[in-house]
């Protein structure tokens, strides 16, 4: 596309522009990332020849550049001017020409570079969800991303209630549809129209106002039944008056906030199915095993909070119903010291929630006894979903009211179950692998043997677009920020050469996205200052674990226990970057002099690991500790810790005025960050992902860039120096961290919001076209023609 202003600029500055692009060509790299593009541009414009480009539109383009593909004489580049606002351009280096292009042209050029044998006119599948969303309401303000339910209530409520004035009775039908085990709830056959509903609401309010506020529903139900009202409006007269008045007000003059409050009270959710397939899902002895980490902790804490919230709401609605929650996962007969070989397991801390385990089977129907990596489970999931459906229906004696998927595999199974059962689907990604591995889609063939990204990314596209609503922990997870691409945004466009290209994969402005941040178990992770709650009997064991003599599952023995600890804890894989932290520490004698390094990560013995990536990291850890002679300054523990032990460990490190470091290259949320901060432990965490929002830099913790180890070391040195000079500095950061978590990241807030969202989306799905039938048919075709073949190509 022609741009007259840029064309003139290029003509007037041909020499400088040519030298700039010549500089990029001389790097001899096919692809350049944002940091490389920007660093080279800044270096060039600081020279005499390049100074003329300063302040130009070209400079803005390069300072917002995300990626370039270079093949002499062509230079293709994408620039991200704002959140989810992309521009694609190409330059002819020798002719010094410029033009804007469409996304598919950019993707085709990248494909040709990776697969030079592919003809330019060769047909390839293009995944494009945008045509199915044209008539669907869409957010416009980037600040509203992640607040989808609020937008839907504003957008749809006026339309719906305008239709009600014309005789539309969708709301009446919705109120009548609610039942539980044959018991009618909300309204019965006596109310058929909106006018009858309005009239009887007032009659009900008048009747209830004659009764004491604490009059129980049992004394009121017969008269209310005669007016057309069934149980579900409240437990006593006061609550029922409030609910009736709320609906009456909405019918008179719809208000989005009042509508949400009313919908939150509707008895819709009694039974949940939570899907989490990969890894070892159990309540003990599982953390640290392959593919098993924060997601397990998240779901167990989530279930406890949800059951409590469900029970509270059901009671307030005047019903005596016991909610049921099933966590559906995989049965692993060869489960080691875990309980993952048990078909059913009650969840500790709940009344009626359990883990329901369904096995994987081979093509002959035989049960697969051993663990399988999350990257290789794709051919088993369709059959798993069918068997899981039967198990869920049998256990609940009917369908669940909501299905929550977790991670790529769990979300795909949730999609299959939701389509089959006609149940509202919620997705929680936890982490999307696409953003973790550089050029993972473009070079998918190189990664296929170990990771099978082709199946996983296809599953992500299916689940993202099929879900009724999506829960994310942070804004960053959806749309990143000014300089960083969000996880979901990365699915907007990409290509897997020779397979398919995505020109519109996911829209971050879709109102299905909602930010609902999890918390840490307040019974376990509480401030170190709460002396009366501390588990001090564990201190000798903690002392031995950190400073004791070497054991089979430890490496190193700290010589000077008077120095504070730099504490890190995570799985031992590339993305978590624990080896990066060890390398930074090993290269800094100053940091070694000020603090010891304490690590809880994976295994210390390579033979114990079943995961190839973890094996590489174990080997690298041993090498770094030996190379930098850290044996008396580092303690590395390869041990699974239970929650209570971990909680006291955070506080034990805080007692010694230590810090917690989360050095991941990317972290979707950062549950350990929340845990550490809840305990009052000053925290340094990656700026890529959730911790960017959790931590207020310099106030309640510190952001670090894992790409620049020296800067991380300097931040730690400054902190320890200042803490030594200023007596209150460490305490001020600690207190601010505690307050930050208490105000924003608790399971109580999480459960309340998720229960409200499930009702609101269920309502709009029923009364409007939120079911997106055309999208569903498109996804079914993609599942059958693309995903299923890719899944079945994964070796069993």
């Amino acid at each position: 596309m022609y741009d007259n202003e840029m064309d003139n600029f290029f003509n007037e500055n041909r020499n400088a522009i040519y030298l700039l692009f010549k500089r990029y060509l001389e790097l001899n790299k096919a692809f350049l990332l944002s940091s490389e593009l920007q660093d080279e541009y800044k270096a060039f414009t600081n020279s005499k020849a390049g100074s003329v480009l300063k302040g130009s539109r070209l400079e803005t383009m390069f300072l917002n550049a995300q990626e370039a593909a270079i093949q002499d004489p062509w230079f293709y580049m994408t620039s991200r001017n704002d959140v989810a606002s992309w521009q694609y351009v190409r330059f002819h280096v020798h002719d010094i020409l410029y033009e804007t292009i469409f996304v598919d042209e950019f993707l085709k050029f990248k494909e040709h570079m990776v697969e030079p044998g592919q003809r330019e006119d060769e047909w390839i599948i293009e995944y494009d969800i945008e045509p199915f969303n044209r008539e669907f309401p869409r957010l416009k303000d980037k600040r509203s991303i992640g607040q989808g339910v609020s937008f839907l209530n504003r957008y749809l409520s006026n339309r719906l209630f305008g239709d009600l004035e014309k005789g539309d009775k969708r709301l009446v039908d919705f109120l009548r549809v609610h039942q539980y085990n044959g018991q009618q709830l909300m309204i019965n056959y006596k109310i058929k129209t909106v006018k009858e509903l309005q009239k009887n609401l007032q009659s009900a309010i008048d009747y209830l106002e004659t009764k004491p506020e604490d009059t129980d529903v049992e004394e009121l139900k017969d008269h209310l039944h005669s007016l057309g009202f069934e149980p579900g409006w409240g437990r006593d007269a006061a609550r029922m008056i409030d609910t009736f008045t709320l609906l009456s007000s909405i019918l008179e003059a719809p208000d989005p906030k009042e509508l949400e409050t009313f919908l939150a009270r509707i008895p819709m959710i009694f039974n949940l199915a939570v899907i989490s397939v990969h890894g070892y899902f159990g309540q003990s002895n599982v953390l640290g095993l392959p593919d098993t980490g924060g997601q397990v902790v998240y779901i167990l804490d989530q279930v406890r909070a949800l059951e409590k919230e469900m029970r509270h709401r059901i009671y307030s609605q005047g019903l005596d119903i016991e909610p049921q929650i099933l966590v559906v996962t995989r049965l692993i007969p060869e489960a080691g010291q875990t309980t993952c070989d048990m078909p059913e397991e009650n969840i500790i801390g709940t009344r009626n929630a359990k883990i329901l385990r369904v096995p994987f089977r081979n093509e002959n129907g035989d049960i697969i006894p051993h663990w399988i990596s999350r990257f290789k489970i794709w051919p088993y999931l369709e059959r798993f979903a069918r068997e899981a459906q039967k198990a869920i229906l049998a256990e609940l004696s009917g369908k669940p009211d909501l299905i929550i998927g977790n991670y790529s595999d769990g979300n795909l199974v949730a999609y299959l179950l939701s389509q089959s059962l006609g149940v509202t689907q919620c997705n929680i990604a936890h982490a999307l692998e696409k953003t973790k591995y550089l050029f993972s889609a473009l070079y998918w063939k190189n990664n296929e043997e170990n990771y099978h990204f082709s199946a996983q990314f296809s599953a992500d596209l299916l689940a993202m677009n099929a879900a009724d609503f999506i829960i994310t922990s942070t804004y960053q997870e959806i749309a990143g920020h000014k300089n960083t691409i969000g996880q979901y945004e990365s699915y907007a466009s990409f290509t897997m050469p020779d397979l398919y290209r995505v020109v519109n994969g996911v829209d971050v402005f879709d109102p299905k996205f909602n930010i609902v941040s999890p918390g840490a178990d307040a019974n376990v992770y509480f401030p170190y200052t709460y002396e009366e709650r501390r588990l001090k009997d564990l201190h000798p064991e903690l002392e031995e674990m950190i400073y004791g003599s070497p054991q089979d599952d430890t490496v190193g023995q700290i010589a000077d226990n008077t120095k504070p600890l730099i504490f890190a804890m995570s799985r031992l894989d590339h993305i978590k970057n624990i080896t990066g932290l060890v390398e930074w520490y090993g290269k800094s004698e100053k940091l070694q002099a000020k603090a010891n390094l304490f690590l809880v990560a994976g295994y210390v013995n390579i033979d114990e690991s079943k995961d190839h990536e973890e094996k590489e990291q174990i080997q690298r850890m041993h090498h770094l500790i030996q190379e930098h002679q850290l044996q008396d300054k580092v303690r590395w523990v390869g041990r699974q810790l239970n929650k209570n032990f971990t909680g006291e460990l955070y506080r034990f490190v805080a007692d010694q005025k230590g810090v917690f470091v989360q050095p991941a290259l990317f972290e979707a949320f950062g549950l350990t960050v929340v845990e550490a901060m809840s305990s009052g432990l000053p925290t340094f965490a990656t700026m890529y992902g959730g911790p960017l929002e959790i931590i207020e830099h310099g106030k309640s913790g510190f952001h670090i860039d894992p790409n620049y180890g020296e800067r991380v070391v300097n931040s730690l040195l400054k902190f320890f120096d200042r803490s030594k000079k200023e007596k209150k500095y460490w305490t001020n950061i600690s207190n601010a961290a505690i307050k930050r978590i208490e105000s924003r990241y608790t399971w109580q807030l999480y459960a309340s919001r998720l229960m409200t969202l499930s009702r609101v989306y269920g309502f709009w799905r029923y009364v409007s076209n939120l079911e997106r039938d055309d999208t569903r048919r498109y996804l079914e075709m993609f599942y059958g023609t693309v995903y299923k073949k890719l899944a079945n190509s994964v070796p069993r």
Side-chain angles (χ1 to χ4, degrees):
M1 289 178 279
Y2 183 70
D3 185 328
N4 185 59
E5 180 184 341
M6 284 293 283
D7 189 55
N8 290 335
F9 177 79
F10 268 58
N11 286 332
E12 292 169 3
N13 299 279
R14 291 178 63 85
N15 181 62
I17 292 171
Y18 174 74
L19 292 176
L20 171 65
F21 286 111
K22 181 174 179 290
R23 183 185 185 108
Y24 284 118
L25 288 178
E26 289 173 349
L27 294 175
N28 291 318
K29 289 187 175 182
F31 299 101
L32 297 176
L33 296 177
S34 57
S35 59
E36 296 170 301
L37 287 163
Q38 293 167 18
D39 289 348
E40 289 295 324
Y41 181 84
K42 291 173 184 176
F44 177 71
T45 53
N46 284 331
S47 68
K48 183 177 180 180
S51 61
V52 296
L53 302 181
K54 287 188 173 182
S56 65
R57 275 181 59 195
L58 185 68
E59 177 166 273
T60 301
M61 195 179 299
F62 269 92
L63 294 182
N64 292 328
Q66 295 297 317
E67 180 187 359
I70 307 169
Q71 190 174 63
D72 194 2
W74 290 106
F75 184 101
Y76 281 60
M77 186 172 75
T78 177
S79 182
R80 184 174 179 267
N81 303 316
D82 204 344
V83 169
S85 176
W86 293 79
Q87 180 183 18
Y88 300 91
V89 297
R90 68 178 179 185
F91 306 92
H92 193 286
V93 176
H94 303 307
D95 292 343
I96 314 179
L97 297 175
Y98 154 90
E99 64 177 333
T100 59
I101 58 175
F102 292 107
V103 58
D104 62 328
E105 295 178 82
F106 179 73
L107 297 177
K108 288 176 183 177
F109 185 73
K110 290 170 65 177
E111 290 165 7
H112 177 70
M113 293 179 64
V114 175
E115 299 283 346
Q118 180 178 311
R119 289 171 46 189
E120 291 188 12
D121 61 348
E122 187 173 342
W123 185 86
I124 187 174
I125 295 173
E126 283 195 349
Y127 182 100
D128 187 356
I129 205 71
E130 194 274 335
F132 303 100
N133 294 333
R134 285 175 184 163
E135 304 301 321
F136 199 81
R138 182 177 184 269
L139 297 125
K140 295 180 180 178
D141 187 345
K142 66 181 181 181
R143 292 170 296 184
S144 297
I145 291 173
Q147 301 173 38
V149 77
S150 299
F151 168 80
L152 275 183
N153 286 338
R154 292 194 305 270
Y155 183 87
L156 295 176
S157 59
N158 287 330
R159 293 189 176 191
L160 172 67
F161 289 97
D163 292 339
L164 291 178
E165 293 178 2
K166 302 172 186 176
D168 191 304
K169 64 184 186 70
R170 283 174 292 173
L171 176 60
V172 174
D173 293 339
F174 175 75
L175 292 175
R176 188 183 295 115
V177 80
H178 301 296
Q179 297 182 346
Y180 183 80
N181 283 353
Q183 178 188 8
Q184 182 63 42
L185 304 175
M186 301 305 286
I187 66 173
N188 58 38
Y189 63 92
K190 295 182 180 181
I191 298 176
K192 298 182 178 65
T193 68
V194 175
K195 287 186 177 180
E196 288 177 348
L197 176 61
Q198 289 178 302
K199 177 184 175 182
N200 290 12
L201 279 170
Q202 189 56 54
S203 296
I205 293 169
D206 292 342
Y207 164 71
L208 290 169
E209 286 179 340
T210 68
K211 303 293 182 180
E213 289 188 348
D214 61 353
T215 305
D216 189 79
V217 63
E218 286 298 314
E219 297 181 34
L220 305 168
K221 66 180 183 180
D222 289 341
H223 185 80
L224 292 174
H225 173 79
S226 69
L227 294 174
F229 297 106
E230 299 293 340
W233 296 89
R235 180 153 293 275
D236 55 32
R239 176 76 172 192
M240 295 172 79
I241 289 173
D242 191 46
T243 308
F244 284 139
T245 303
L246 192 59
L247 178 56
S248 183
S249 175
I250 291 168
L251 291 170
E252 185 72 24
D255 176 83
K257 290 184 178 179
E258 286 189 338
L259 175 63
E260 183 173 309
T261 302
F262 172 71
L263 293 175
R265 297 185 179 188
I266 292 181
M268 294 171 58
I269 309 295
F270 304 106
N271 299 320
L272 295 185
V274 180
I275 316 299
S276 180
V277 185
H278 73 259
Y280 292 81
F281 197 101
Q283 300 180 81
S284 61
N285 300 325
V286 298
L287 297 183
L289 294 176
D291 295 342
T292 309
Q295 179 176 315
V296 173
V297 177
Y298 179 112
I299 293 172
L300 290 172
D301 286 345
Q302 173 202 56
V303 166
R304 294 184 184 102
L306 287 175
E307 188 195 59
K308 186 176 181 180
E309 180 67 19
M310 290 168 69
R311 183 172 287 106
H312 167 72
R313 292 199 185 201
I314 291 169
Y315 179 84
S316 298
Q317 290 154 356
L319 304 173
D320 296 313
I321 296 171
E322 185 67 27
Q324 296 185 82
I325 303 178
L326 298 178
V327 177
V328 184
T329 188
R330 186 197 156 197
L331 181 77
I332 306 175
E334 295 176 359
Q337 299 301 311
T338 77
T339 57
C340 296
D341 57 346
M342 294 173 55
E344 293 187 9
E345 181 181 359
N346 293 328
I347 295 177
I348 299 168
T350 70
R351 292 190 199 173
N352 201 24
K354 64 174 60 176
I355 302 169
L356 184 65
R357 296 188 176 93
V358 177
F360 283 172
R361 297 183 186 274
N362 63 22
E363 293 164 308
N364 297 323
D366 301 321
I367 292 175
I368 305 294
H370 54 271
W371 166 83
I372 297 174
S373 163
R374 71 185 188 275
F375 296 116
K376 298 182 179 181
I377 65 175
W378 305 104
Y380 304 97
L381 294 182
E382 184 174 313
R383 183 165 186 165
F384 174 87
R386 290 197 300 268
E387 295 193 14
Q389 178 172 317
K390 293 178 183 177
I392 291 168
L393 293 175
E395 189 69 34
L396 299 179
S397 299
K399 298 190 295 185
D401 302 304
L402 175 68
I403 297 173
I404 302 175
N406 293 274
Y407 192 71
S408 299
D409 43 56
N411 287 331
L412 181 80
V413 172
Y415 157 66
L416 295 174
L417 290 170
S418 175
Q419 296 305 305
S420 177
L421 297 173
V423 175
T424 302
Q425 175 192 351
C426 168
N427 281 5
I428 304 175
H430 295 279
L432 293 166
E433 299 290 344
K434 186 172 175 296
T435 54
K436 291 183 179 181
Y437 297 85
L438 190 61
F439 297 123
S440 55
L442 190 62
Y443 290 103
W444 69 276
K445 289 183 180 179
N446 297 348
N447 294 315
E448 199 69 355
E449 182 179 353
N450 291 323
Y451 297 113
H452 303 284
F453 286 142
S454 63
Q456 182 162 12
F457 298 167
S458 301
D460 287 334
L461 288 172
L462 284 162
M464 288 174 188
N465 288 292
D468 293 290
F469 66 104
I470 295 173
I471 293 299
T472 71
S473 299
T474 63
Y475 182 98
Q476 312 291 322
E477 191 177 337
I478 310 169
H481 60 85
K482 175 64 176 174
N483 300 314
T484 305
I485 302 169
Q487 286 192 75
Y488 280 94
E489 187 184 359
S490 75
Y491 281 77
S493 65
F494 63 93
T495 182
M496 289 191 283
D498 270 351
L499 189 56
Y500 61 82
R501 73 177 64 100
V502 176
V503 293
N504 285 291
V506 66
D507 182 3
V508 298
F509 288 93
D510 193 306
K512 69 174 56 182
F513 288 102
N514 291 273
I515 301 166
V516 185
S517 301
D521 187 340
N523 293 318
V524 175
Y525 304 103
F526 53 84
Y528 74 102
T529 53
Y530 291 9
E531 293 290 339
E532 70 283 357
R533 296 179 60 189
R534 295 284 299 269
L535 305 177
K536 293 189 177 180
D537 288 345
L538 294 177
H539 286 202
E541 189 175 347
L542 288 167
E543 186 91 25
E544 179 64 25
M545 182 177 72
I546 299 171
Y547 299 112
S549 58
Q551 305 294 323
D552 291 340
D553 59 357
T554 69
V555 171
Q557 183 175 10
I558 293 173
D560 183 357
N561 63 6
T562 64
K563 293 186 291 187
L565 293 170
I566 299 171
F567 174 37
M569 178 172 61
S570 77
R571 295 192 315 274
L572 198 55
D573 60 29
H574 170 70
I575 294 299
K576 294 299 184 182
N577 197 35
I578 294 293
T579 54
L581 174 61
V582 175
E583 185 172 22
W584 305 335
Y585 180 81
K587 289 181 177 180
S588 174
E589 293 184 2
K590 290 183 178 180
L591 189 56
Q592 293 171 35
K594 294 184 182 298
N596 296 311
L597 183 59
F598 175 57
L599 310 167
V600 178
Y603 294 101
V604 299
N605 299 313
I606 197 167
D607 294 337
E608 293 185 58
S609 176
K610 301 177 183 178
D611 185 83
H612 78 277
E613 188 172 305
E614 185 179 45
K615 287 176 179 286
E616 292 176 356
Q617 293 296 303
I618 293 170
Q619 191 172 23
R620 178 163 167 74
M621 284 277 279
H622 284 288
H623 172 75
L624 287 169
I625 291 171
Q626 185 173 0
E627 178 186 6
H628 297 288
Q629 295 297 299
L630 301 175
Q631 290 86 348
D632 61 346
K633 301 179 184 69
V634 170
R635 179 72 153 193
W636 170 25
V637 177
R639 190 180 304 173
Q640 299 168 20
L641 309 180
N642 65 48
K643 287 175 61 175
N644 286 307
F645 195 88
T646 302
E648 193 59 31
L649 174 57
Y650 285 120
R651 293 185 287 272
F652 187 86
V653 176
D655 288 338
Q656 302 180 47
K657 297 297 182 285
V659 300
F660 182 76
V661 179
Q662 206 271 35
L665 301 176
F666 180 85
E667 182 61 53
F669 177 59
L671 194 55
T672 55
V673 172
V674 173
E675 292 171 354
M677 292 173 68
S678 298
S679 306
L681 191 55
T683 299
F684 294 71
T686 181
M687 64 185 292
Y688 297 111
L692 190 65
E693 290 179 40
I694 298 171
I695 292 172
E696 303 160 291
H697 181 66
K699 181 179 178 181
S700 58
F702 304 89
H703 300 144
I704 59 174
D705 188 337
N707 296 307
Y708 298 95
E710 289 185 6
R711 297 179 190 176
V712 178
V713 168
N714 288 335
S715 295
L716 288 165
L717 289 171
K718 288 179 181 178
F719 176 82
F720 285 122
D721 284 341
R722 189 170 175 182
S723 296
K724 191 172 183 178
K725 292 177 183 177
E726 302 175 28
K727 292 183 178 180
K728 293 185 177 181
Y729 183 65
W730 188 98
T731 303
N732 289 341
I733 298 295
S734 172
N735 291 339
I738 294 167
K739 290 178 181 178
R740 176 69 172 174
I741 300 305
E742 288 177 345
S743 66
R744 297 282 295 274
Y745 302 97
T746 70
W747 281 114
Q748 181 181 0
L749 292 172
Y750 174 99
S752 176
R753 191 61 184 154
L754 181 53
M755 284 292 96
T756 296
L757 289 174
S758 63
R759 287 161 170 80
V760 175
Y761 278 95
F763 170 71
W764 287 122
R765 174 174 170 153
Y766 184 91
V767 302
S768 66
N769 186 31
L770 282 193
E771 292 196 15
R772 310 192 197 198
D773 289 337
D774 46 1
T775 302
R776 179 173 59 83
R777 299 299 292 172
Y778 179 75
L779 296 176
E780 286 175 355
M781 182 177 64
F782 186 77
Y783 179 90
T785 59
V786 177
Y787 167 78
K788 198 164 181 177
K789 292 180 180 178
L790 294 171
N792 289 332
S793 70
V794 178
R796 291 176 182 259

